[in-house]
PDB file of all heavy atoms in Angstrom:
ATOM      1  N   ASP A  93     210.608 154.076  73.252  1.00 78.00           N
ATOM      2  CA  ASP A  93     211.417 153.454  74.302  1.00 78.00           C
ATOM      3  C   ASP A  93     210.504 153.084  75.492  1.00 78.00           C
ATOM      4  O   ASP A  93     210.563 151.985  76.017  1.00 78.00           O
ATOM      5  CB  ASP A  93     212.477 154.424  74.789  1.00 78.00           C
ATOM      6  CG  ASP A  93     213.666 154.484  73.744  1.00 78.00           C
ATOM      7  OD1 ASP A  93     213.728 153.584  72.939  1.00 78.00           O
ATOM      8  OD2 ASP A  93     214.409 155.472  73.801  1.00 78.00           O
ATOM      9  N   ALA A 126     193.321 124.621  64.753  1.00 97.00           N
ATOM     10  CA  ALA A 126     194.392 123.733  64.492  1.00 97.00           C
ATOM     11  C   ALA A 126     194.015 122.532  63.692  1.00 97.00           C
ATOM     12  O   ALA A 126     194.734 122.160  62.777  1.00 97.00           O
ATOM     13  CB  ALA A 126     195.016 123.242  65.832  1.00 97.00           C
ATOM     14  N   ARG A 127     192.796 122.065  63.924  1.00 97.00           N
ATOM     15  CA  ARG A 127     192.371 120.914  63.151  1.00 97.00           C
ATOM     16  C   ARG A 127     192.149 121.225  61.671  1.00 97.00           C
ATOM     17  O   ARG A 127     192.033 120.316  60.879  1.00 97.00           O
ATOM     18  CB  ARG A 127     191.061 120.312  63.748  1.00 97.00           C
ATOM     19  CG  ARG A 127     191.334 119.613  65.057  1.00 97.00           C
ATOM     20  CD  ARG A 127     189.902 119.239  65.615  1.00 97.00           C
ATOM     21  NE  ARG A 127     190.067 118.891  67.043  1.00 97.00           N
ATOM     22  CZ  ARG A 127     190.137 117.597  67.427  1.00 97.00           C
ATOM     23  NH1 ARG A 127     190.096 116.691  66.578  1.00 97.00           N
ATOM     24  NH2 ARG A 127     190.217 117.329  68.718  1.00 97.00           N
ATOM     25  N   THR A 130     196.014 121.078  58.762  1.00 97.00           N
ATOM     26  CA  THR A 130     196.627 120.030  57.932  1.00 97.00           C
ATOM     27  C   THR A 130     195.682 119.695  56.701  1.00 97.00           C
ATOM     28  O   THR A 130     196.159 119.671  55.597  1.00 97.00           O
ATOM     29  CB  THR A 130     196.954 118.754  58.753  1.00 97.00           C
ATOM     30  OG1 THR A 130     198.017 119.035  59.607  1.00 97.00           O
ATOM     31  CG2 THR A 130     197.361 117.629  57.846  1.00 97.00           C
ATOM     32  N   ARG A 134     196.791 120.160  52.743  1.00 96.00           N
ATOM     33  CA  ARG A 134     196.901 118.914  51.964  1.00 96.00           C
ATOM     34  C   ARG A 134     196.015 119.024  50.728  1.00 96.00           C
ATOM     35  O   ARG A 134     196.355 118.410  49.706  1.00 96.00           O
ATOM     36  CB  ARG A 134     196.583 117.670  52.810  1.00 96.00           C
ATOM     37  CG  ARG A 134     197.575 117.485  53.917  1.00 96.00           C
ATOM     38  CD  ARG A 134     197.538 116.052  54.419  1.00 96.00           C
ATOM     39  NE  ARG A 134     197.969 115.083  53.447  1.00 96.00           N
ATOM     40  CZ  ARG A 134     197.730 113.809  53.545  1.00 96.00           C
ATOM     41  NH1 ARG A 134     196.953 113.292  54.557  1.00 96.00           N
ATOM     42  NH2 ARG A 134     198.082 112.974  52.643  1.00 96.00           N
ATOM     43  N   GLN A 187     202.009 154.320  54.923  1.00 96.00           N
ATOM     44  CA  GLN A 187     203.024 154.544  53.887  1.00 96.00           C
ATOM     45  C   GLN A 187     202.474 154.970  52.546  1.00 96.00           C
ATOM     46  O   GLN A 187     202.971 155.698  51.754  1.00 96.00           O
ATOM     47  CB  GLN A 187     203.876 153.265  53.707  1.00 96.00           C
ATOM     48  CG  GLN A 187     204.832 153.022  54.832  1.00 96.00           C
ATOM     49  CD  GLN A 187     205.500 151.721  54.656  1.00 96.00           C
ATOM     50  OE1 GLN A 187     206.284 151.480  53.768  1.00 96.00           O
ATOM     51  NE2 GLN A 187     205.201 150.746  55.537  1.00 96.00           N
ATOM     52  N   ARG A 212     208.161 155.948  63.600  1.00 88.00           N
ATOM     53  CA  ARG A 212     209.071 155.231  62.611  1.00 88.00           C
ATOM     54  C   ARG A 212     209.100 155.828  61.279  1.00 88.00           C
ATOM     55  O   ARG A 212     210.166 155.926  60.634  1.00 88.00           O
ATOM     56  CB  ARG A 212     208.509 153.831  62.497  1.00 88.00           C
ATOM     57  CG  ARG A 212     209.355 152.819  61.766  1.00 88.00           C
ATOM     58  CD  ARG A 212     208.773 151.429  61.824  1.00 88.00           C
ATOM     59  NE  ARG A 212     207.526 151.368  61.071  1.00 88.00           N
ATOM     60  CZ  ARG A 212     207.466 151.161  59.785  1.00 88.00           C
ATOM     61  NH1 ARG A 212     208.474 151.058  59.051  1.00 88.00           N
ATOM     62  NH2 ARG A 212     206.244 151.111  59.252  1.00 88.00           N
ATOM     63  N   ARG A 336     201.125 146.992  46.200  1.00 90.00           N
ATOM     64  CA  ARG A 336     202.551 146.992  45.906  1.00 90.00           C
ATOM     65  C   ARG A 336     203.448 147.174  46.998  1.00 90.00           C
ATOM     66  O   ARG A 336     204.540 146.433  47.063  1.00 90.00           O
ATOM     67  CB  ARG A 336     202.745 148.181  44.893  1.00 90.00           C
ATOM     68  CG  ARG A 336     202.131 147.912  43.513  1.00 90.00           C
ATOM     69  CD  ARG A 336     202.418 149.083  42.605  1.00 90.00           C
ATOM     70  NE  ARG A 336     202.156 148.670  41.226  1.00 90.00           N
ATOM     71  CZ  ARG A 336     202.703 149.250  40.170  1.00 90.00           C
ATOM     72  NH1 ARG A 336     203.410 150.288  40.293  1.00 90.00           N
ATOM     73  NH2 ARG A 336     202.374 148.792  38.919  1.00 90.00           N
TER      74      ARG A 336
ATOM     75  N   ASP B  93     207.629 150.258  38.675  1.00 78.00           N
ATOM     76  CA  ASP B  93     206.546 150.024  37.644  1.00 78.00           C
ATOM     77  C   ASP B  93     206.767 148.846  36.703  1.00 78.00           C
ATOM     78  O   ASP B  93     206.040 147.981  36.483  1.00 78.00           O
ATOM     79  CB  ASP B  93     206.196 151.341  36.924  1.00 78.00           C
ATOM     80  CG  ASP B  93     205.537 152.288  37.753  1.00 78.00           C
ATOM     81  OD1 ASP B  93     204.916 151.952  38.734  1.00 78.00           O
ATOM     82  OD2 ASP B  93     205.531 153.549  37.427  1.00 78.00           O
ATOM     83  N   ASP B 123     203.490 118.051  51.476  1.00 96.00           N
ATOM     84  CA  ASP B 123     202.587 117.130  52.197  1.00 96.00           C
ATOM     85  C   ASP B 123     203.153 116.831  53.603  1.00 96.00           C
ATOM     86  O   ASP B 123     202.395 116.918  54.592  1.00 96.00           O
ATOM     87  CB  ASP B 123     202.365 115.871  51.397  1.00 96.00           C
ATOM     88  CG  ASP B 123     201.197 115.102  51.938  1.00 96.00           C
ATOM     89  OD1 ASP B 123     200.032 115.706  51.908  1.00 96.00           O
ATOM     90  OD2 ASP B 123     201.382 113.956  52.436  1.00 96.00           O
ATOM     91  N   ALA B 126     202.593 119.829  55.692  1.00 97.00           N
ATOM     92  CA  ALA B 126     201.172 120.015  56.102  1.00 97.00           C
ATOM     93  C   ALA B 126     200.806 119.081  57.207  1.00 97.00           C
ATOM     94  O   ALA B 126     200.042 119.478  58.132  1.00 97.00           O
ATOM     95  CB  ALA B 126     200.284 119.700  54.835  1.00 97.00           C
ATOM     96  N   ARG B 127     201.384 117.886  57.201  1.00 97.00           N
ATOM     97  CA  ARG B 127     201.067 116.953  58.276  1.00 97.00           C
ATOM     98  C   ARG B 127     201.549 117.406  59.632  1.00 97.00           C
ATOM     99  O   ARG B 127     201.152 116.923  60.655  1.00 97.00           O
ATOM    100  CB  ARG B 127     201.621 115.510  57.978  1.00 97.00           C
ATOM    101  CG  ARG B 127     200.848 114.813  56.884  1.00 97.00           C
ATOM    102  CD  ARG B 127     201.615 113.551  56.493  1.00 97.00           C
ATOM    103  NE  ARG B 127     201.182 113.025  55.240  1.00 97.00           N
ATOM    104  CZ  ARG B 127     200.263 112.053  55.138  1.00 97.00           C
ATOM    105  NH1 ARG B 127     199.718 111.540  56.233  1.00 97.00           N
ATOM    106  NH2 ARG B 127     199.861 111.555  53.961  1.00 97.00           N
ATOM    107  N   THR B 130     198.758 120.528  62.156  1.00 97.00           N
ATOM    108  CA  THR B 130     197.690 120.367  63.156  1.00 97.00           C
ATOM    109  C   THR B 130     198.346 119.836  64.509  1.00 97.00           C
ATOM    110  O   THR B 130     198.103 120.378  65.600  1.00 97.00           O
ATOM    111  CB  THR B 130     196.634 119.481  62.658  1.00 97.00           C
ATOM    112  OG1 THR B 130     195.915 120.178  61.605  1.00 97.00           O
ATOM    113  CG2 THR B 130     195.683 119.039  63.772  1.00 97.00           C
ATOM    114  N   ARG B 134     198.153 121.808  68.060  1.00 96.00           N
ATOM    115  CA  ARG B 134     197.370 121.243  69.159  1.00 96.00           C
ATOM    116  C   ARG B 134     198.196 121.034  70.416  1.00 96.00           C
ATOM    117  O   ARG B 134     197.679 121.088  71.530  1.00 96.00           O
ATOM    118  CB  ARG B 134     196.740 119.935  68.733  1.00 96.00           C
ATOM    119  CG  ARG B 134     195.722 120.147  67.562  1.00 96.00           C
ATOM    120  CD  ARG B 134     194.859 118.917  67.358  1.00 96.00           C
ATOM    121  NE  ARG B 134     193.966 118.766  68.589  1.00 96.00           N
ATOM    122  CZ  ARG B 134     193.306 117.597  68.833  1.00 96.00           C
ATOM    123  NH1 ARG B 134     193.487 116.556  68.033  1.00 96.00           N
ATOM    124  NH2 ARG B 134     192.529 117.538  69.900  1.00 96.00           N
ATOM    125  N   GLN B 187     215.983 149.377  57.050  1.00 96.00           N
ATOM    126  CA  GLN B 187     215.464 150.460  57.869  1.00 96.00           C
ATOM    127  C   GLN B 187     216.263 150.692  59.142  1.00 96.00           C
ATOM    128  O   GLN B 187     216.357 151.774  59.702  1.00 96.00           O
ATOM    129  CB  GLN B 187     213.978 150.168  58.344  1.00 96.00           C
ATOM    130  CG  GLN B 187     213.065 150.292  57.177  1.00 96.00           C
ATOM    131  CD  GLN B 187     211.617 149.885  57.580  1.00 96.00           C
ATOM    132  OE1 GLN B 187     211.007 150.428  58.480  1.00 96.00           O
ATOM    133  NE2 GLN B 187     211.170 148.761  57.007  1.00 96.00           N
ATOM    134  N   ARG B 212     211.548 152.432  47.719  1.00 88.00           N
ATOM    135  CA  ARG B 212     210.489 152.646  48.722  1.00 88.00           C
ATOM    136  C   ARG B 212     211.000 153.483  49.863  1.00 88.00           C
ATOM    137  O   ARG B 212     210.288 154.383  50.418  1.00 88.00           O
ATOM    138  CB  ARG B 212     209.992 151.336  49.248  1.00 88.00           C
ATOM    139  CG  ARG B 212     208.758 151.390  50.107  1.00 88.00           C
ATOM    140  CD  ARG B 212     208.338 149.993  50.431  1.00 88.00           C
ATOM    141  NE  ARG B 212     209.242 149.252  51.309  1.00 88.00           N
ATOM    142  CZ  ARG B 212     209.358 149.377  52.582  1.00 88.00           C
ATOM    143  NH1 ARG B 212     208.524 150.139  53.237  1.00 88.00           N
ATOM    144  NH2 ARG B 212     210.284 148.693  53.249  1.00 88.00           N
TER     145      ARG B 212
END
Side-chain angles (χ1 to χ4, degrees):
Chain A
D93 285 343
R127 287 171 195 266
T130 293
R134 293 195 68 196
Q187 286 173 67
R212 189 174 65 83
R336 288 182 164 201
Chain B
D93 285 342
D123 193 64
R127 286 170 194 267
T130 293
R134 294 195 68 197
Q187 287 173 66
R212 188 175 67 82

